[in-house]
Amino acid sequence: SGVLWLCSWGETMPAHDVPKSSPTSLKSVWADPRAQAILACTAYCFFSASMVFVNKILLSVYSFPFNYTLIFVQNSLAVVILIAAKHWGAISVDSFSWNTAILWLPVDILFVAMLVTGTLSLRLLVVPMVTIFKNLTNILIATGDRIWFANEISFGLMGSFALLIVGSIVAGFNDLSFNATGYMWMACNCVCTAAYVLYMRHAVKRTHLSDFGMSYYNNLLSLPLLAVMGITMGEWQQIGSFEYLTSPPFLFCLAFSGTVGFLLSLSSFWCVRTTSATTYGTVGSLNKIPVAILGIIFFKNKVSLYSGLGIGLGLGGGVVYGLVKNQLQRAKQQEKEIELGRRHKLPEGKPKF
């Protein structure tokens, strides 16, 4: 949580720019942009890790082999939850608009492309290699952030990315392998992932939707694309023969995964809206660290000197990223204050005789 605090702290205004209010007031804490950024990153990390573990149960314990069908069901449940909550007056979601849907559709297309290329690369590459490439994606995201959203890239930020990459290389040192076709699909996955995160940031700014509205469009528009993939890959034709299809524990786990997926969707948009595309991508990379630690605790995953050192380097990269972001934000704020002081400085008049 300390690493997430550092990552999100540098994204928002300094404390003296926040309206003065009672420190014990929950409303004043919620109004603080820094508090929102920290909560958003923490929520995104928590629900992302929870989703990994729920999917681990579905895919490993129950051996559910239909990836696209699983995401289709989870996204369908998220849409049902949103519609029900709107019907009961618990949340407010704007009515469906084709103009908004067209603007948001590329997010879902890139999301499905990210899933497809990720699945194809996983078939040919071991997990450590995939992790290394995914951490390299942060550099693409940071570059796009600089070009389209004018966010700075310093040597410190590049150093934090280097620590994340070196950490993932060390953690999977004994499992690294080479496969040209796998590298090709993984390169495509990196481009699709970066484009997905950056365009999502653009869509968030353009549509002015609430987090609930973004979750609604994102999940709803993904359903036809996921259905096409499920049919094309032959999943829908085979699902009837799945042995646990009518098992109550499996169905409960599936329904629970849909709820977690809905909360993950909300927290991801919240994170992008309150921070930046680069921070969103970096938090996603750092999220693998608690997942690895919890995997060692709950799933008895083997830990070696390399994996322990890799986790340590990854944590170090997260700390460096947070500190550098905070330093950049402070420098930017000082420049704004100097510029503001120049604008408000009264011109000196001519001396009177």
Side-chain angles (χ1 to χ4, degrees):
S1 59
V3 175
L4 290 176
W5 181 86
L6 280 169
C7 283
S8 54
W9 186 260
E11 289 292 339
T12 49
M13 65 182 75
H16 54 71
D17 285 338
V18 181
K20 302 293 184 183
S21 56
S22 171
T24 58
S25 169
L26 181 62
K27 185 177 180 180
S28 66
V29 172
W30 185 254
D32 187 345
R34 289 174 299 188
Q36 284 206 35
I38 293 168
L39 288 171
C41 289
T42 304
Y44 170 58
C45 186
F46 175 77
F47 290 120
S48 180
S50 300
M51 196 66 181
V52 170
F53 277 88
V54 174
N55 285 341
K56 175 78 172 177
I57 294 171
L58 289 169
L59 298 173
S60 298
V61 176
Y62 289 102
S63 300
F64 189 73
F66 310 116
N67 295 332
Y68 298 109
T69 303
L70 175 60
I71 301 170
F72 178 88
V73 172
Q74 290 170 345
N75 289 7
S76 299
L77 288 170
V79 172
V80 171
I81 292 171
L82 283 163
I83 293 174
K86 179 184 178 181
H87 177 73
W88 292 329
I91 62 172
S92 176
V93 180
D94 293 336
S95 300
F96 184 84
S97 165
W98 280 108
N99 290 333
T100 304
I102 291 171
L103 185 62
W104 195 266
L105 184 60
V107 176
D108 284 284
I109 293 174
L110 289 169
F111 171 72
V112 173
M114 183 176 66
L115 288 178
V116 172
T117 53
T119 302
L120 291 170
S121 62
L122 269 173
R123 290 179 180 176
L124 301 168
L125 298 175
V126 293
V127 173
M129 286 303 305
V130 173
T131 303
I132 292 168
F133 273 93
K134 284 188 176 295
N135 286 338
L136 284 169
T137 305
N138 291 331
I139 298 175
L140 292 178
I141 295 172
T143 303
D145 229 358
R146 175 69 181 87
I147 295 171
W148 290 297
F149 301 109
N151 286 322
E152 293 183 54
I153 303 177
S154 68
F155 287 110
L157 289 181
M158 297 304 293
S160 69
F161 295 149
L163 280 174
L164 286 170
I165 294 165
V166 171
S168 58
I169 292 173
V170 171
F173 184 76
N174 291 327
D175 299 317
L176 302 185
S177 60
F178 179 82
N179 185 297
T181 306
Y183 282 2
M184 180 197 72
W185 284 119
M186 198 62 236
C188 292
N189 180 258
C190 291
V191 173
C192 290
T193 302
Y196 167 72
V197 173
L198 291 167
Y199 187 84
M200 180 169 63
R201 175 76 172 173
H202 167 74
V204 166
K205 288 178 172 289
R206 285 285 305 275
T207 58
H208 303 292
L209 292 168
S210 66
D211 294 333
F212 291 110
M214 288 185 283
S215 180
Y216 173 69
Y217 277 97
N218 192 67
N219 286 294
L220 181 64
L221 295 175
S222 70
L223 297 181
L225 300 172
L226 290 168
V228 169
M229 290 307 304
I231 294 170
T232 304
M233 301 301 290
E235 293 185 358
W236 287 26
Q237 295 88 325
Q238 302 173 38
I239 196 170
S241 60
F242 181 63
E243 60 176 319
Y244 296 110
L245 191 60
T246 58
S247 168
F250 168 77
L251 293 175
F252 171 80
C253 194
L254 188 63
F256 182 70
S257 74
T259 305
V260 175
F262 162 66
L263 295 172
L264 173 59
S265 176
L266 282 180
S267 60
S268 63
F269 295 127
W270 187 20
C271 184
V272 169
R273 180 172 55 81
T274 56
T275 59
S276 68
T278 304
T279 295
Y280 174 80
T282 304
V283 170
S285 294
L286 290 171
N287 187 48
K288 296 178 181 65
I289 296 170
V291 168
I293 294 172
L294 291 173
I296 293 168
I297 296 171
F298 292 105
F299 293 102
K300 307 300 180 184
N301 293 344
K302 293 182 179 180
V303 59
S304 64
L305 175 64
Y306 289 117
S307 59
L309 184 58
I311 289 172
L313 287 169
L315 285 171
V319 170
V320 171
Y321 179 85
L323 291 172
V324 172
K325 267 289 186 180
N326 191 32
Q327 186 178 17
L328 288 173
Q329 186 66 21
R330 287 180 181 276
K332 188 182 295 184
Q333 185 63 29
Q334 287 177 356
E335 290 177 2
K336 287 182 180 179
E337 289 174 354
I338 293 171
E339 182 64 26
L340 191 63
R342 288 174 180 171
R343 290 181 181 179
H344 285 81
K345 187 176 180 181
L346 294 174
E348 297 182 0
K350 293 182 179 180
K352 294 181 180 181
F353 297 98

